[in-house]
Amino acid sequence: MIDFLNDIDESLAPESTHIMPIFAEINHIDDEQLLKPEVLDNIPVLPLRNSVLFPGMTLPVAVGRKKSLALIEDAQKNHMPIAVFCQKSSQVDNPSDKDLYADGTIAEIVKILELPDESINVILQGRQSVLLREITSNEPYMRARVSVIDDILPQRDDKEFIALMTSIREMVMKMLKNMGAETGRDMAFAIKNIDSPIYLINFLATNVPFETEQKQELLENHFFKKRAYLLYSFLAKEAQLFEIKANIQSKTREELTQQQREHFLQQQIRTIQDELGNGEDDIDELEQRAKKKKWNEATNKHFEKELKKLERLNPQSPDYSVQYAYLDQLLNLPWNEYTKDNFDLKKVERKLNADHYGLEKVKTRILEHLAVLKLRGDLKAPILCLYGPPGVGKTSLGKSIAEALNRKYARVSLGGLHDEAEIRGHRRTYIGAMPGRIIDALIKTGTSNPVIVLDEIDKVGQDYKGDPSSALLEVLDPEQNSHFHDNYIDIDYDLSKVLFIATANSLATISQPLLDRMEVIEITGYIQEEKVEIANRHLIPKQLQENGFKKKEISFNKKALEKIIESYTRESGVRELEKKIGKVLRKVAWLKASDESAEYPTTITLPLLKEYLGAEEYHRDNYEGNEFAGVVTGLAWTAVGGEILFVESSLSKAGKSGDKLTLTGNLGDVMKESAVIALQYIKSHSSLLGIDTEIFDKYNVHIHVPEGAIPKDGPSAGVTMVTSLVSSFTQRKVRDHLAMTGEITLRGKVLPVGGIKEKILAAKRAGITHIILCEENKRDIDEINDIYLQGLTFHYVHTIKDVIDLALLPQKVKGAIDL
């Protein structure tokens, strides 16, 4: 507030110059001495900048102008007094009489100081007030004629003046009381030891930091009582200003006190940790990394709170490494960092077509999503679920989608997962805690909008550690995953921009709430023509590279590939096909590496397959004809695609125990129930079917489904069984090259079944030309590409009677039994 070093003249005096020691060297000057009249003529004049010298006061002055230096040198050498006047403007370097205030002070040079920086400081002591009359000379320095002015003192017993001086003292002491600075204490000490009111007024006028104009106004007022009143008014304004500033500082101090306290404590902690050899460098590194993060204010506050915990820990303690690892994981997460999507739809389509043959539904859905995202600019990513048999390209499709969209790719395998913490993460209270696999995938990709493939979501298990499929509900819900909470991270993270692609072989084992959150896209098996195309485009080039061959160095002719597909693989996908191609190429690589000069085949033909792959592993399921009654071809779905199965039924003379139904062929409960329903329907509708009811009492019924080592189950063989039984009871011939699938009821209705595409592919492989389906399955046929339907005729039915009319011919089989 108050600058007690009145270090102003032509330039500011050095801060090291302290006025209090100088006061101790000045002899006391009484009032009579101060006002002793004297006339001076042709006296040297020293102009001051921003400074006023009062009678009886000392003032340190920095001297720099040449004229001023010459004046000081002559005055000290000749012991002559000088006149000191303040300049009206401090910007004038060579002032004239018009640039100086008329009122000034006669002064003596007390001491000249040469400072280390070679500047000159002079200490002046004021004697008497003077009035500038005229300038008599300007060279080598300014001289002037001055008149001494007698300052008029109040009466010694003037009570008003005594009270005024008391008020001045109290006001100044009150201002200095709350100041803890050393200079303030020196000032208070000096004021207490000044007895002369005249000296006190001039002392305060000199040392209280009034404006230069105010000090000059005090000097020009030669009535000391009026000077005292003017001083009091200036002090009152200064006291009010001081009070306002003190209030502001107090309020600011209250706001900063807590921060300063915490900062002080943190500095102490850091000092202690430095002595113990801690990781302050680690903390600084975390702070620098945090400045680059794009997280929101809530996340930033959470990080700072956790960082303060780290600062209080000893680096040698186990908790330090746990806390550091947590903060490191927070910083590794890509908060609001996104890659730019590729909005060139044609380019994306070309990329998807180049990487995968077929799979039109998936490609169309991805292009639709990208189109909407391009138009809106912001869109929650869909949750896709690709389900189908193994080896059809579900997992690899996710990587292709990521490359096409110009996004990062991560794969999370969920097969056999049974711990909920693998999804949500472990709480940090546990030893070895870590974030869940979703957060870990984001850290690895370094972006908040990657493509994450959740592989084998249908094989998620559960035990006493929790249900991971329930934890996935939050991850795979577009309405909830914008605030996904990982137990380890312990703060919400936005997953809404992540494109999740789940894969599954079957939907039956996926919980219904989880299934509802996903957009299910079926990927069916490939027909033979598609497998040949996929082998030529993708599998053979890949295996050539993996087995050390150059591009197109070895080729497979079409018949060889077809033979591998028919006789050495049995699958809906192409995984086994790729293995067989690799096996053939390894045989060729052995020939090439054994003797480089020896010839090796560059084209794999049909005769070479038996040599390289051995005997045929599978035989094609062919249609077996309709020469026998009770033999009907059905269609079935398996995990490796569609299959044909034969349902055989026969009749035998009943014994004493009455009619009996025998089922064989490793059938499941549902399939056994279908056989019972078929027989009961025939018994209750025998007249409609032209069957004598006495047959049921005379004969036992045996139903068999070949390949008894293979478990079979499901309701889709219902129509096949009822057709087989009717054929046996009536000995009617079954339509040639016919297969069927569908569930039956006791009322005689035919219900729709699934896996239609796989069953159709199986029928084509077996040489079937006519297929009987439920009317409601027509919608499945409409969605299948025409290439799969070529050479097939579909018959849609509502009831079992429709099936019998279509499947059985009027004539009986050759060698029919007379029942």
Side-chain angles (χ1 to χ4, degrees):
M1 152 64 188
I2 300 179
D3 182 6
F4 301 104
L5 292 176
N6 204 345
D7 49 355
I8 312 169
D9 182 36
E10 297 182 2
S11 62
L12 293 177
E15 293 181 0
S16 60
T17 306
H18 201 291
I19 196 169
M20 287 298 113
I22 298 172
F23 290 149
E25 299 177 6
I26 301 173
N27 296 325
H28 179 70
I29 303 172
D30 59 22
D31 295 348
E32 287 77 9
Q33 262 186 314
L34 183 63
L35 300 177
K36 182 180 178 181
E38 184 179 355
V39 178
L40 297 173
D41 195 11
N42 202 30
I43 187 170
V45 174
L46 179 65
L48 303 180
R49 302 177 195 259
N50 299 323
S51 185
V52 177
L53 178 62
F54 285 83
M57 298 296 103
T58 57
L59 186 68
V61 175
V63 181
R65 288 185 280 209
K66 291 182 179 180
K67 289 184 178 181
S68 299
L69 290 171
L71 184 151
I72 295 299
E73 185 179 351
D74 286 353
Q76 186 186 38
K77 185 184 297 183
N78 299 319
H79 303 286
M80 55 182 186
I82 62 174
V84 178
F85 295 92
C86 181
Q87 292 182 197
K88 295 178 180 178
S89 173
S90 62
Q91 304 300 321
V92 180
D93 289 330
N94 190 19
S96 62
D97 56 344
K98 295 180 181 179
D99 298 316
L100 302 176
Y101 285 108
D103 287 86
T105 306
I106 295 295
E108 292 181 358
I109 297 174
V110 176
K111 195 173 185 179
I112 297 177
L113 304 173
E114 293 186 11
L115 301 180
D117 60 356
E118 299 183 356
S119 62
I120 302 299
N121 273 26
V122 59
I123 298 175
L124 302 177
Q125 181 174 0
R127 290 299 180 188
Q128 291 174 294
S129 298
V130 294
L131 187 65
L132 178 63
R133 295 301 183 185
E134 62 176 329
I135 302 298
T136 58
S137 174
N138 274 315
E139 297 299 336
Y141 42 79
M142 187 182 296
R143 288 178 177 270
R145 181 178 296 113
V146 298
S147 299
V148 176
I149 301 176
D150 293 329
D151 291 332
I152 301 173
L153 302 175
Q155 297 293 328
R156 287 186 178 272
D157 58 351
D158 189 337
K159 294 182 180 180
E160 183 181 353
F161 181 73
I162 293 171
L164 180 59
M165 291 306 299
T166 301
S167 298
I168 289 174
R169 285 179 183 272
E170 290 176 352
M171 183 175 293
V172 174
M173 296 305 293
K174 183 178 179 181
M175 292 170 61
L176 299 176
K177 183 177 180 180
N178 296 324
M179 297 185 64
E182 181 182 350
T183 320
R185 292 194 296 270
D186 291 343
M187 182 75 165
F189 177 78
I191 292 172
K192 288 180 180 179
N193 289 279
I194 296 175
D195 298 327
S196 170
I198 306 304
Y199 188 87
L200 178 60
I201 290 173
N202 289 342
F203 176 80
L204 293 175
T206 300
N207 290 286
V208 177
F210 299 128
E211 297 292 334
T212 303
E213 291 78 6
Q214 292 176 310
K215 291 187 177 184
Q216 185 65 34
E217 187 178 355
L218 289 169
L219 180 64
E220 292 173 358
N221 202 323
H222 299 290
F223 289 90
F224 258 90
K225 190 173 181 179
K226 290 185 178 181
R227 183 182 290 183
Y229 268 113
L230 188 59
L231 175 64
Y232 183 81
S233 66
F234 288 163
L235 287 172
K237 292 179 182 178
E238 198 71 25
Q240 291 177 5
L241 183 61
F242 174 79
E243 186 176 356
I244 293 172
K245 289 182 178 179
N247 289 335
I248 294 173
Q249 290 176 351
S250 176
K251 291 178 181 178
T252 307
R253 189 179 297 112
E254 289 176 1
E255 293 175 358
L256 295 179
T257 296
Q258 184 62 25
Q259 295 180 6
Q260 291 171 341
R261 179 175 176 273
E262 291 180 359
H263 177 73
F264 176 72
L265 292 174
Q266 292 295 340
Q267 289 299 114
Q268 285 185 320
I269 291 172
R270 290 193 178 187
T271 303
I272 295 170
Q273 290 175 339
D274 287 342
E275 293 296 325
L276 295 173
N278 84 347
E280 184 176 354
D281 292 341
D282 294 339
I283 295 173
D284 291 339
E285 179 194 356
L286 294 175
E287 289 178 339
Q288 292 302 319
R289 290 169 62 189
K291 291 179 181 177
K292 300 177 183 178
K293 284 295 169 184
K294 301 176 182 177
W295 47 31
N296 54 34
E297 186 63 26
T299 308
N300 188 50
K301 287 182 179 179
H302 178 78
F303 175 81
E304 290 177 352
K305 177 184 176 182
E306 296 297 329
L307 185 63
K308 289 178 181 178
K309 291 182 183 178
L310 180 67
E311 291 175 346
R312 292 193 291 268
L313 294 174
N314 183 350
Q316 307 303 322
S317 70
D319 291 340
Y320 182 89
S321 60
V322 172
Q323 185 70 4
Y324 180 85
Y326 170 68
L327 293 173
D328 185 56
Q329 293 284 33
L330 272 184
L331 292 170
N332 286 335
L333 270 171
W335 300 91
N336 296 320
E337 296 179 15
Y338 304 101
T339 55
K340 188 176 181 181
D341 287 333
N342 175 23
F343 289 117
D344 188 342
L345 301 183
K346 292 184 178 179
K347 185 176 179 181
V348 173
E349 186 176 11
R350 286 196 299 269
K351 174 65 178 174
L352 293 175
N353 289 333
D355 289 350
H356 286 81
Y357 185 80
L359 309 181
E360 301 302 330
K361 283 186 180 180
V362 190
K363 295 175 184 177
T364 301
R365 183 63 185 88
I366 296 301
L367 292 172
E368 289 172 353
H369 169 68
L370 199 58
V372 177
L373 186 62
K374 182 177 180 179
L375 295 177
R376 281 192 53 178
D378 182 27
L379 183 68
K380 291 181 179 179
I383 312 297
L384 304 180
C385 178
L386 311 180
Y387 89 95
V392 295
K394 301 184 297 296
T395 304
S396 59
L397 185 63
K399 190 170 185 179
S400 295
I401 291 171
E403 293 177 358
L405 297 179
N406 194 32
R407 291 192 181 188
K408 300 286 185 173
Y409 168 79
R411 174 179 169 271
V412 177
S413 178
L414 301 179
L417 194 70
H418 54 79
D419 188 355
E420 181 184 343
E422 293 285 346
I423 304 299
R424 293 187 188 271
H426 304 79
R427 296 194 181 277
R428 282 184 288 150
T429 52
Y430 296 103
I431 296 174
M434 61 183 67
R437 295 195 184 188
I438 305 300
I439 293 296
D440 188 53
L442 291 171
I443 292 174
K444 288 178 180 178
T445 59
T447 175
S448 291
N449 64 335
V451 174
I452 296 181
V453 173
L454 302 176
D455 215 7
E456 310 293 354
I457 197 171
D458 58 324
K459 297 175 179 63
V460 174
Q462 68 180 85
D463 60 9
Y464 66 94
K465 296 179 182 178
D467 183 7
S469 61
S470 298
L472 284 170
L473 294 177
E474 182 184 7
V475 176
L476 300 182
D477 191 338
E479 300 300 325
Q480 296 182 34
N481 62 10
S482 58
H483 296 87
F484 174 67
H485 189 87
D486 185 276
N487 291 329
Y488 181 83
I489 299 301
D490 201 25
I491 189 169
D492 290 347
Y493 194 90
D494 186 5
L495 297 179
S496 62
K497 303 297 187 297
V498 179
L499 178 55
F500 287 103
I501 300 178
T503 70
N505 297 130
S506 172
L507 302 180
T509 56
I510 303 176
S511 66
Q512 192 60 41
L514 184 58
L515 199 59
D516 287 342
R517 285 164 167 78
M518 300 186 291
E519 185 175 340
V520 178
I521 299 176
E522 183 181 6
I523 299 180
T524 53
Y526 299 112
I527 61 174
Q528 180 171 292
E529 290 78 7
E530 289 178 324
K531 290 183 179 181
V532 171
E533 192 69 28
I534 292 169
N536 284 321
R537 290 189 183 189
H538 305 289
L539 305 184
I540 294 175
K542 179 182 176 182
Q543 287 299 318
L544 283 173
Q545 183 180 359
E546 290 185 359
N547 289 284
F549 292 101
K550 296 179 182 177
K551 189 177 183 181
K552 297 183 179 180
E553 185 176 352
I554 307 293
S555 63
F556 288 72
N557 66 20
K558 186 176 180 182
K559 289 187 177 180
L561 284 174
E562 290 176 348
K563 186 64 176 178
I564 295 175
I565 294 168
E566 291 178 7
S567 301
Y568 292 93
T569 64
R570 178 167 289 182
E571 57 177 350
S572 294
V574 292
R575 189 170 290 148
E576 188 68 23
L577 175 60
E578 183 179 2
K579 292 178 182 178
K580 297 302 181 183
I581 292 172
K583 184 176 181 179
V584 171
L585 292 178
R586 286 194 298 274
K587 298 288 186 181
V588 178
W590 186 9
L591 291 175
K592 181 180 178 181
S594 298
D595 187 357
E596 295 183 1
S597 62
E599 293 185 0
Y600 58 90
T602 57
T603 302
I604 306 301
T605 58
L606 200 59
L608 293 173
L609 290 182
K610 189 170 183 179
E611 179 183 351
Y612 291 158
L613 296 179
E616 296 179 6
E617 299 178 19
Y618 303 100
H619 295 281
R620 183 172 180 177
D621 290 329
N622 291 319
Y623 173 71
E624 294 186 355
N626 60 347
E627 291 82 10
F628 299 96
V631 180
V632 181
T633 305
L635 300 175
W637 179 93
T638 68
V640 294
E643 297 287 347
I644 67 169
L645 56 82
F646 301 101
V647 175
E648 303 173 349
S649 61
S650 65
L651 304 178
S652 60
K653 289 285 186 179
K656 296 180 181 180
S657 59
D659 64 325
K660 182 180 178 183
L661 174 63
T662 304
L663 302 173
T664 56
N666 201 351
L667 308 183
D669 291 338
V670 177
M671 206 164 185
K672 291 178 180 177
E673 289 172 359
S674 296
V676 173
I677 293 172
L679 183 58
Q680 292 301 320
Y681 173 81
I682 293 171
K683 287 183 177 180
S684 61
H685 295 82
S686 58
S687 60
L688 180 65
L689 299 173
I691 301 173
D692 188 357
T693 55
E694 294 183 359
I695 295 178
F696 303 123
D697 298 325
K698 296 178 180 180
Y699 292 91
N700 295 328
V701 179
H702 186 164
I703 298 177
H704 174 66
V705 182
E707 298 187 6
I710 301 174
K712 310 168 192 70
D713 201 5
S716 61
V719 292
T720 313
M721 289 183 171
V722 74
T723 304
S724 174
L725 288 174
V726 172
S727 175
S728 294
F729 283 128
T730 61
Q731 295 292 297
R732 289 169 62 183
K733 194 173 186 179
V734 180
R735 183 185 292 271
D736 195 21
H737 294 91
L738 172 73
M740 61 189 70
T741 183
E743 183 180 356
I744 59 173
T745 70
L746 277 176
R747 294 173 294 158
K749 290 191 64 177
V750 178
L751 303 180
V753 291
I756 296 299
K757 183 179 178 182
E758 284 81 1
K759 292 176 180 178
I760 288 173
L761 296 181
K764 289 195 70 173
R765 288 196 299 266
I768 300 295
T769 57
H770 294 271
I771 297 177
I772 294 177
L773 298 171
C774 173
E775 177 71 29
E776 294 182 34
N777 280 126
K778 188 175 187 301
R779 62 174 183 266
D780 299 302
I781 301 298
D782 293 339
E783 293 183 1
I784 298 175
N785 196 312
D786 291 339
I787 190 174
Y788 299 100
L789 309 179
Q790 291 177 3
L792 294 175
T793 301
F794 296 95
H795 304 276
Y796 302 106
V797 297
H798 291 281
T799 65
I800 295 176
K801 185 66 169 60
D802 297 335
V803 175
I804 300 301
D805 292 342
L806 284 168
L808 299 182
L809 300 175
Q811 67 267 32
K812 295 190 177 183
V813 296
K814 189 176 182 179
I817 302 173
D818 189 12
L819 299 176

